[in-house]
């Protein structure tokens, strides 16, 4: 059974930092790209950052470039999202997803349908 478990969300002040973790199991981790997506009520889920370890490639949405860093520890089947200089507009539920194919398409366009975690809440507020 495919499982993705996110953690690390919290309430943080503007300018603060958080590190989200996504632990994967039930599939061949090396064969999948992993992406972080976020969603606020009433809006479409959007791709934030994705990583393909097999291709050695990453993607960042313009809104998070130079502030967020995605990384992967394949030995632990875990992907991290280091978020620095957080802004109130980063407030959202953050989800991770596993993508076997077309990861760049899903990260920049409509989110993938399968293999999602349950989400972790990030709130940036003073």
């Amino acid at each position: 059974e495919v499982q993705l478990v996110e953690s690390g969300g919290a309430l943080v002040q503007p300018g603060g930092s958080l590190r989200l973790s996504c632990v994967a199991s039930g599939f061949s981790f090396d064969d999948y790209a992993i992406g972080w997506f976020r969603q606020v009520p009433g809006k479409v889920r959007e791709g934030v950052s994705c990583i393909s370890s097999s291709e050695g490639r990453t993607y960042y949405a313009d809104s998070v470039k130079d502030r967020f860093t995605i990384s992967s520890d394949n030995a632990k089947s875990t992907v991290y999202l280091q978020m620095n200089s957080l802004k109130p507009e980063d407030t959202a539920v953050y989800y991770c997803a596993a993508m076997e194919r077309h990861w760049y398409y899903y990260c920049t366009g409509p989110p993938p349908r399968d293999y999602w975690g349950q989400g972790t809440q990030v709130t940036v507020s003073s």
Side-chain angles (χ1 to χ4, degrees):
E1 179 190 1
V2 173
Q3 278 197 322
L4 297 163
V5 180
E6 304 97 333
S7 62
L11 170 63
V12 63
Q13 291 189 341
S17 297
L18 282 175
R19 189 176 81 156
L20 305 184
S21 299
C22 172
V23 180
S25 61
F27 61 97
S28 180
F29 186 79
D30 293 352
D31 294 338
Y32 283 71
I34 303 294
W36 284 99
F37 297 76
R38 66 187 181 187
Q39 189 169 25
V40 298
K43 291 197 174 181
V44 176
R45 194 172 294 188
E46 63 170 355
V48 174
S49 182
C50 297
I51 185 166
S52 170
S53 297
S54 62
E55 297 180 24
R57 293 175 61 199
T58 59
Y59 163 82
Y60 295 95
D62 287 343
S63 58
V64 306
K65 272 180 187 173
D66 301 324
R67 299 190 298 123
F68 291 10
T69 302
I70 193 169
S71 61
S72 178
D73 185 336
N74 286 24
K76 295 182 178 179
S77 297
T78 300
V79 170
Y80 303 99
L81 185 67
Q82 178 67 42
M83 305 188 296
N84 298 330
S85 302
L86 282 161
K87 304 176 181 180
E89 51 263 43
D90 294 317
T91 296
V93 178
Y94 283 71
Y95 301 88
C96 65
M99 297 161 284
E100 187 176 18
R101 297 182 183 88
H102 311 307
W103 67 270
Y104 192 85
Y105 168 77
Y106 290 123
C107 205
T108 59
R113 293 189 210 173
D114 301 321
Y115 307 152
W116 289 94
Q118 81 289 349
T120 186
Q121 176 70 47
V122 172
T123 303
V124 185
S125 175
S126 55

